Amino acid sequence: MADESKAPQSPESSQPAASGSTPASPAAGASPISPAKPAAPAPLQVPLDSELSRRYRDRFGAAILDALEDRKQAILIVGAAPLLEIARYSCDEEKFDLLEDYTAVDWPRREKRFDLVAQLYSFTHNTRLRLKIPLGSSEEPSTLVSVWPAANWLEREIFDLFGITFQGHPNLKRILLPDEWQGYPLRKDYDILQQDTAWVRENLGIESGQ
C-alpha cells in the first residue's frame, strides 16, 4: 500500500533541472564573492649563489659587486679596474673561451653612466655567463683583445656608438661611422633625428633632411 502521507509532487518539481540554467542568486543581503587576485609575477632577477659565483667571489673578493640570475642566466657585476684579470680567469680557468657579444648600455641619469656587457660561452661546459661592468663617463677600461681577439671589432663598435675608450686597444677608431663624425648615436642624449649636418654638407654636398 502506497504511503499517502507524502505530499504529491507538482509536474515541474518532478522534472530534472535543465542544463545551462542560471544558478540561484545569493540570498538578499549576502556579500558577493570577490574574484581571487592574480598572483604577483615572479621577479626576473634573483640573487645567485652557485658554485660558479662562489669561485669568482673567492678569487676576486670585493671586485665581484653582485651575482644575479635572470631567467636561468648567470650574471656577475664586476668592477672595471680588475676587468682584464677577471676576463683572463674566465677564459683560462673557467673555460669561457668564446666572447659571444660585447656591447654597452647608457644610463645617463646614473652615477655610473654606462654598463659594459660581455656575453661569454663555454664550449667545454656548454654554459653561458654574462659580465656587467658599470663605468663612469670618464673611465677607460682595459681592452680584452689579448684574451678574446673578437673583442677588437666589438670594442671599436662600442667606441664608435657610445664613445667609450679602451686602454691598450691596437686600433681604436670608428668602425661604422666616418672617422670625422661628431657624437655617439647610441647615447641616450643623442636625439633620434640628430645628424652631423656639417659632415653631411661637406662630404655629400647636400643639406641634411633631418
Side-chain angles (χ1 to χ4, degrees):
M1 185 176 191
D3 184 358
E4 297 179 355
S5 62
K6 292 183 179 179
Q9 293 181 333
S10 66
E12 290 82 1
S13 64
S14 63
Q15 296 293 328
S19 60
S21 61
T22 303
S25 301
S31 300
I33 300 174
S34 301
K37 293 183 179 180
L44 295 180
Q45 291 190 349
V46 295
L48 175 65
D49 183 19
S50 64
E51 291 185 7
L52 178 67
S53 65
R54 287 193 290 271
R55 287 197 299 270
Y56 275 85
R57 289 188 186 278
D58 291 343
R59 180 68 175 262
F60 298 104
I64 306 302
L65 306 178
D66 204 355
L68 304 168
E69 184 179 70
D70 187 336
R71 286 160 285 194
K72 300 184 180 180
Q73 169 73 74
I75 304 172
L76 297 180
I77 316 297
V78 306
L83 174 59
L84 182 57
E85 184 183 358
I86 291 172
R88 285 199 180 110
Y89 170 81
S90 299
C91 183
D92 297 341
E93 303 296 329
E94 297 293 344
K95 305 305 179 186
F96 288 102
D97 31 24
L98 176 64
L99 178 62
E100 279 191 327
D101 198 11
Y102 198 19
T103 187
V105 183
D106 184 18
W107 306 94
R109 297 182 181 179
R110 206 176 65 180
E111 181 181 358
K112 295 279 190 178
R113 175 170 184 168
F114 300 107
D115 277 335
L116 284 177
V117 183
Q119 187 72 30
L120 312 181
Y121 177 73
S122 169
F123 288 100
T124 303
H125 303 296
N126 188 27
T127 190
R128 286 176 170 82
L129 173 66
R130 186 180 305 162
L131 301 180
K132 292 179 70 173
I133 305 97
L135 288 178
S137 298
S138 60
E139 286 188 87
E140 298 182 355
S142 297
T143 180
L144 303 183
V145 172
S146 63
V147 180
W148 298 292
N152 190 327
W153 298 273
L154 296 170
E155 289 175 354
R156 283 181 60 189
E157 184 177 58
I158 296 170
F159 168 73
D160 191 2
L161 301 180
F162 291 93
I164 297 172
T165 299
F166 293 88
Q167 289 291 330
H169 190 284
N171 186 29
L172 194 62
K173 61 180 183 180
R174 290 188 185 270
I175 193 171
L176 299 174
L177 293 169
D179 290 340
E180 304 84 6
W181 193 269
Q182 300 298 310
Y184 304 102
L186 288 188
R187 289 191 177 192
K188 296 291 178 61
D189 53 9
Y190 191 97
D191 189 88
I192 192 171
L193 297 180
Q194 184 175 345
Q195 287 189 1
D196 185 344
T197 54
W199 188 95
V200 171
R201 185 183 306 111
E202 180 179 347
N203 292 275
L204 301 182
I206 61 175
E207 293 296 326
S208 171
Q210 301 292 349

